[in-house]
Amino acid sequence: MGEPEAGSEFGNGAAAAGPMADTQYILPNDIGVSSLDCREAFRLLSPTERLYAHHLSRAAWYGGLAVLLQTSPEAPYIYALLSRLFRAQDPDQLRQHALAEGLTEEEYQAFLVYAAGVYSNMGNYKSFGDTKFVPNLPKEKLEQVILGSEAAQQHPEEVRGLWQTCGELMFSLEPRLRHLGLGKEGITTYFSGNCTMEDAKLAQDFLDSQNLSAYNTRLFKEVDGEGKPHYEVRLASVLGSEPSLDSEMTSKLKSYEFRGSPFQVTRGDYAPILQKVVEQLEKAKVYAANSHQGQMLAQYIESFTQGSIEAHKRGSRFWIQDKGPIVESYIGFIESYRDPFGSRGEFEGFVAVVNKAMSAKFERLVASAEQLLKELPWPPAFEKDKFLTPDFTSLDVLTFAGSGIPAGINIPNYDDLRQTEGFKNVSLGNVLAVAYATQREKLTFLEEDDKDLYILWKGPSFDVQVGLHELLGHGSGKLFVQDEKGAFNFDQETVINPETGEQIQSWYRSGETWDSKFSTIASSYEECRAESVGLYLCLHPEVLEIFGFEGADAEDVIYVNWLNMVRAGLLALEFYTPEASNWRQAHMQARFVILRVLLEAGEGLVTITPTTGSDGRPDARVRLDRSKIRSVGKPALERFLRRLQVLKSTGDVAGGRALYEGYAAVTDAPPECFLTLRDTVLLRKESRKLIVQPNTRLEDSDVQLLEYEASAAGLIRSFSERFPEDGPELEEILTQLATADARFWKGPSEAPSGQA
């Protein structure tokens, strides 16, 4: 589970958009851009460690390209078009041409920001919020620049063809295309365009029945002449349908009949991309520091070659056992936030170097974890039988490929491994350092006298929150399971549900997981549980001592942590879509729910007051009464946390949905009038920063670190130099893969009939 930064999704001012588009769907010209600093971490690596990190980084960057195919039908073509443009002319050279074509400086900057946004998000939808973004300049002007560019002179047919394929969709904001979603709700390429939520549920039941994971799959539906649907479940793998040596996967690749519908399990999704991932993992294996790393990579190779999640689980087991490595990494189909159904994983890969000083604090937190778990507000029977002491390190990221960079991670996401083998926590220190930088004048919705305190303690309080959220939030709690032999992992006679006073009435059956059972709310509900644990346990003096805070400083850290959460709950309204009554971002929904719980606690703990800003436009102020955090806030959070955990442990989906969706509902009911407040939040929203990452380059047997300036142009240059050997080949692969499946999303307006 990846943890984005709670209060700094919004890195830069609410720049007024030109007449082109609603500001919700553009990236402003003055968007914040920061460079990821890992020079010192890289300098400390030995030559062998550098080679290991280099090949893992290459594998991650190659695999990250699959995200384009997991996002929207047009994303691979947009990426290919931009890559061709900037390979032929760097941003400065293209600028001369654009200005000569009649673009203004602002229009050209808008194009650079758009291109940087596509590279950062690996597609044309924001990774945080799932909203489409479009170029903030007239389409005709962009067309002139593209068709008159050096790339178009060199390859006129290809460039014109790419523009004709994606130009319309690049700019289109017709309602269904504004957000990622399923059926009429939005666009997704995890499912063919004619799939509905009912199809997704049926497919999940089918996968469960065959003990297949959805993590590395996509679902394609075709309807025959009689109107009967046929489903293809396609696994990601290097191997396709060609006969191969018998593996655990080959017996699964066949036709099935399930509840009257034909299902075909196939493989080979993203095959040429995964082939390049595997080649780099083979090279990295030569430089592995120990047998755990070697075995881990061998299993990842098997997983990506065969399409086997079981092999990825085995690799993850070796990864968990590889305690305290100098170079840390993870790769695969990991987070399910962007699947509208909530069970398919987006490809990501990261490579990072351990920061020893900060890791020492986290290790002290791990050492106290068993004692701290006892402070959580649920009975011991609802906690794992044994706390599996995890690795918890602070890392400086060298490479993070995928659609976005989180601030902390708790992985693997496989429930069975987490319950029995354990997990690892990482806090991404150099990402947090970039995310902290908050300018006073950009701080929205806070009282003046809170702003200086907030700026001073925001960073330290977030270190504490990430630590608690990942280790004791995601790392806590037991799932009650009945295995395939009928055995239970809890005592049916003695375990009592503290909410009802009765014996346990529900649990997880063999093959069911948290994600498959709670599906669309699973991610957000779990983030809410982890965030609540962080708020609850940061009140514990021992926790603050571990991080070096005592006395008045400790109280300030607590206050700013809670204040940051309630402010984030208000900022979250940007990520709610009233037309569809749905949330587009799991963490932000979670923070809104916590805000609702704390408002409900009453007694003036939290208040939100509409005001008028100095610019004469609507504004708001969030207040938290610090004298009531322990007396009012803590008991309210305690009751809520217990209910969250009990419903999760018992697999009570109906109860869990009623509780969670109740708090997550956004209405205009007084006193808060959240729908009206949402307009204020949108008016003053700030865009999430773009982050420029370095490249590594192999020169003879020496690995060089290449760094880039913190600007849209610098970000574009980093991508132009990312694939020096095979850039054109990769663009061809991406467009061929996209074209092979294009029929599944034929007309952008052809939303499926039936229940969306």
Side-chain angles (χ1 to χ4, degrees):
M1 283 149 236
E3 174 55 16
E5 234 257 284
S8 71
E9 297 54 89
F10 313 95
N12 229 359
M20 294 308 303
D22 180 331
T23 56
Q24 228 182 313
Y25 304 108
I26 58 148
L27 303 176
N29 275 13
D30 66 347
I31 193 165
V33 185
S34 297
S35 284
L36 214 48
D37 180 12
C38 57
R39 188 181 309 165
E40 183 58 16
F42 183 77
R43 190 182 67 77
L44 295 171
L45 294 179
S46 72
T48 304
E49 288 160 353
R50 287 183 185 189
L51 285 160
Y52 181 65
H54 167 72
H55 290 297
L56 287 176
S57 291
R58 302 308 303 148
W61 286 124
Y62 280 127
L65 297 172
V67 175
L68 293 159
L69 296 154
Q70 293 182 300
T71 301
S72 71
E74 67 275 11
Y77 301 101
I78 296 174
Y79 173 90
L81 180 60
L82 294 174
S83 298
R84 287 191 171 240
L85 277 181
F86 292 113
R87 191 169 38 252
Q89 290 168 288
D90 77 17
D92 290 341
Q93 295 166 328
L94 192 62
R95 177 172 168 269
Q96 301 308 319
H97 158 63
L99 297 182
E101 287 281 358
L103 266 71
T104 64
E105 286 280 6
E106 285 71 31
E107 286 166 338
Y108 183 62
Q109 177 63 16
F111 172 55
L112 289 186
V113 165
Y114 175 77
V118 170
Y119 286 135
S120 279
N121 292 280
M122 264 297 114
N124 55 332
Y125 286 75
K126 293 178 193 171
S127 66
F128 198 87
D130 295 345
T131 309
K132 187 173 188 177
F133 57 96
V134 299
N136 191 25
L137 71 159
K139 180 164 175 263
E140 304 66 47
K141 287 197 166 185
L142 182 54
E143 182 169 26
Q144 270 177 292
V145 172
I146 289 170
L147 298 183
S149 68
E150 189 66 40
Q153 311 297 319
Q154 293 169 4
H155 303 281
E157 280 178 30
E158 282 101 321
V159 171
R160 186 173 289 278
L162 285 169
W163 174 249
Q164 282 170 346
T165 305
C166 68
E168 284 295 324
L169 284 168
M170 190 188 282
F171 280 85
S172 174
L173 282 174
E174 66 167 279
R176 189 187 171 203
L177 303 183
R178 290 174 190 169
H179 305 290
L180 296 180
L182 196 51
K184 294 173 183 167
E185 300 295 326
I187 195 81
T188 175
T189 47
Y190 284 114
F191 297 86
S192 56
N194 57 357
C195 282
T196 64
M197 198 52 90
E198 270 53 44
D199 296 313
K201 285 178 184 150
L202 179 69
Q204 186 63 55
D205 290 346
F206 165 71
L207 288 164
D208 289 347
S209 76
Q210 297 303 319
N211 244 343
L212 275 169
S213 167
Y215 271 119
N216 64 344
T217 69
R218 293 199 288 168
L219 183 71
F220 299 92
K221 175 170 88 168
E222 298 205 70
V223 180
D224 66 19
E226 276 94 64
K228 183 173 183 171
H230 293 248
Y231 298 96
E232 177 196 356
V233 172
R234 191 189 302 166
L235 311 178
S237 66
V238 175
L239 293 176
S241 54
E242 68 275 8
S244 65
L245 293 170
D246 199 38
S247 78
E248 63 193 336
M249 293 314 297
T250 41
S251 62
K252 304 273 191 190
L253 303 172
K254 59 182 184 191
S255 299
Y256 301 79
E257 183 84 12
F258 183 74
R259 292 189 194 156
S261 291
F263 274 81
Q264 178 85 24
V265 176
T266 66
R267 67 178 175 185
D269 216 359
Y270 328 117
I273 292 173
L274 291 175
Q275 175 65 45
K276 289 184 178 284
V277 174
V278 164
E279 285 165 9
Q280 292 298 326
L281 293 178
E282 291 281 13
K283 289 178 178 175
K285 212 164 127 220
V286 177
Y287 304 106
N290 55 49
S291 65
H292 287 313
Q293 287 180 1
Q295 289 171 291
M296 162 189 95
L297 292 176
Q299 292 296 337
Y300 292 164
I301 289 164
E302 171 78 359
S303 171
F304 300 142
T305 304
Q306 300 285 352
S308 163
I309 289 293
E310 286 305 314
H312 197 270
K313 282 186 184 178
R314 290 193 293 271
S316 298
R317 202 169 270 133
F318 288 120
W319 178 72
I320 294 165
Q321 291 162 6
D322 183 28
K323 301 276 189 193
I326 303 292
V327 177
E328 185 59 285
S329 68
Y330 197 57
I331 190 167
F333 296 90
I334 313 299
E335 301 293 357
S336 57
Y337 300 121
R338 297 182 93 194
D339 167 13
F341 186 72
S343 61
R344 284 155 193 77
E346 184 172 71
F347 196 96
E348 72 178 42
F350 78 82
V351 185
V353 182
V354 172
N355 175 324
K356 293 199 168 74
M358 192 65 193
S359 296
K361 291 181 184 177
F362 288 135
E363 283 307 317
R364 285 183 59 204
L365 189 63
V366 171
S368 309
E370 279 196 86
Q371 289 310 113
L372 291 169
L373 280 173
K374 293 174 185 167
E375 304 289 327
L376 290 171
W378 47 78
F382 286 75
E383 196 43 73
K384 294 191 184 78
D385 305 334
K386 181 178 186 300
F387 181 69
L388 300 153
T389 310
D391 230 13
F392 198 161
T393 45
S394 177
L395 304 177
D396 285 334
V397 172
L398 177 65
T399 296
F400 206 115
S403 67
I405 311 182
I409 324 175
N410 171 292
I411 34 183
N413 285 336
Y414 305 121
D415 282 327
D416 45 352
L417 286 193
R418 297 166 68 80
Q419 297 278 324
T420 57
E421 307 280 331
F423 53 88
K424 279 188 186 180
N425 291 287
V426 297
S427 173
L428 304 177
N430 58 346
V431 177
L432 284 170
V434 164
Y436 284 161
T438 310
Q439 292 166 282
R440 196 177 196 284
E441 59 276 13
K442 301 277 172 73
L443 259 184
T444 50
F445 308 126
L446 292 182
E447 294 286 5
E448 282 304 314
D449 54 1
D450 276 334
K451 287 185 178 178
D452 293 330
L453 204 60
Y454 184 90
I455 287 169
L456 184 62
W457 293 109
K458 166 76 189 306
S461 76
F462 203 66
D463 281 335
V464 173
Q465 179 67 12
V466 167
L468 294 171
H469 171 117
E470 302 295 354
L471 176 67
L472 295 156
H474 292 316
S476 65
K478 175 173 178 167
L479 301 183
F480 294 155
V481 179
Q482 180 181 24
D483 67 20
E484 64 279 3
K485 299 188 180 76
F488 291 89
N489 69 345
F490 64 99
D491 188 332
Q492 282 186 287
E493 296 299 313
T494 60
V495 178
I496 298 297
N497 180 327
E499 295 294 309
T500 63
E502 296 169 0
Q503 289 178 328
I504 304 303
Q505 307 288 332
S506 57
W507 48 83
Y508 296 79
R509 317 266 167 194
S510 172
E512 288 182 331
T513 66
W514 163 249
D515 273 339
S516 73
K517 218 164 157 59
F518 281 71
S519 67
T520 52
I521 65 163
S523 287
S524 186
Y525 186 116
E526 175 58 16
E527 294 308 328
C528 188
R529 198 181 68 86
E531 289 284 49
S532 300
V533 167
L535 283 189
Y536 187 75
L537 288 179
C538 81
L539 298 171
H540 203 285
E542 188 189 343
V543 167
L544 296 166
E545 277 170 31
I546 287 170
F547 284 89
F549 307 118
E550 292 176 5
D553 285 357
E555 290 303 310
D556 283 346
V557 167
I558 291 168
Y559 175 62
V560 170
N561 196 29
W562 279 61
L563 180 64
N564 188 40
M565 188 62 71
V566 293
R567 176 176 179 257
L570 177 62
L571 296 176
L573 289 166
E574 178 195 341
F575 299 92
Y576 177 75
T577 308
E579 298 77 16
S581 301
N582 75 349
W583 284 91
R584 305 187 312 278
Q585 215 293 321
H587 298 82
M588 297 313 278
Q589 180 181 1
R591 291 160 188 159
F592 177 76
V593 166
I594 291 170
L595 170 63
R596 287 281 315 276
V597 169
L598 298 178
L599 281 165
E600 184 185 80
E603 297 186 47
L605 172 69
V606 177
T607 51
I608 302 175
T609 315
T611 60
T612 301
S614 54
D615 56 4
R617 301 190 299 172
D619 205 341
R621 287 289 169 271
V622 178
R623 290 186 188 85
L624 170 70
D625 185 338
R626 67 189 294 166
S627 70
K628 293 180 177 166
I629 291 175
R630 285 187 173 82
S631 58
V632 180
K634 186 182 180 189
L637 209 52
E638 185 169 309
R639 287 189 297 275
F640 177 61
L641 246 181
R642 183 183 302 117
R643 291 174 74 191
L644 284 179
Q645 183 56 50
V646 167
L647 293 164
K648 180 181 180 183
S649 288
T650 57
D652 181 351
V653 181
R657 276 194 182 277
L659 173 72
Y660 200 67
E661 289 172 349
Y663 279 117
V666 179
T667 70
D668 230 4
E672 285 81 27
C673 307
F674 283 119
L675 284 173
T676 303
L677 274 174
R678 178 177 176 273
D679 293 336
T680 305
V681 170
L682 285 176
L683 181 69
R684 301 194 176 274
K685 83 181 179 78
E686 301 173 12
S687 294
R688 196 169 169 79
K689 280 181 182 168
L690 302 179
I691 294 182
V692 183
Q693 298 186 55
N695 285 318
T696 54
R697 178 173 294 165
L698 192 54
E699 292 176 9
D700 299 325
S701 59
D702 197 25
V703 181
Q704 304 294 327
L705 185 72
L706 308 178
E707 296 176 288
Y708 302 88
E709 70 170 23
S711 67
L715 202 155
I716 290 165
R717 282 193 185 93
S718 74
F719 267 89
S720 294
E721 295 182 11
R722 196 141 277 158
F723 303 107
E725 305 88 27
D726 49 8
E729 181 200 345
L730 289 169
E731 288 138 39
E732 191 144 320
I733 285 171
L734 284 164
T735 53
Q736 283 173 353
L737 291 174
T739 304
D741 288 325
R743 69 180 192 283
F744 290 113
W745 298 278
K746 277 193 287 288
S749 306
E750 293 171 27
S753 56
Q755 183 61 40

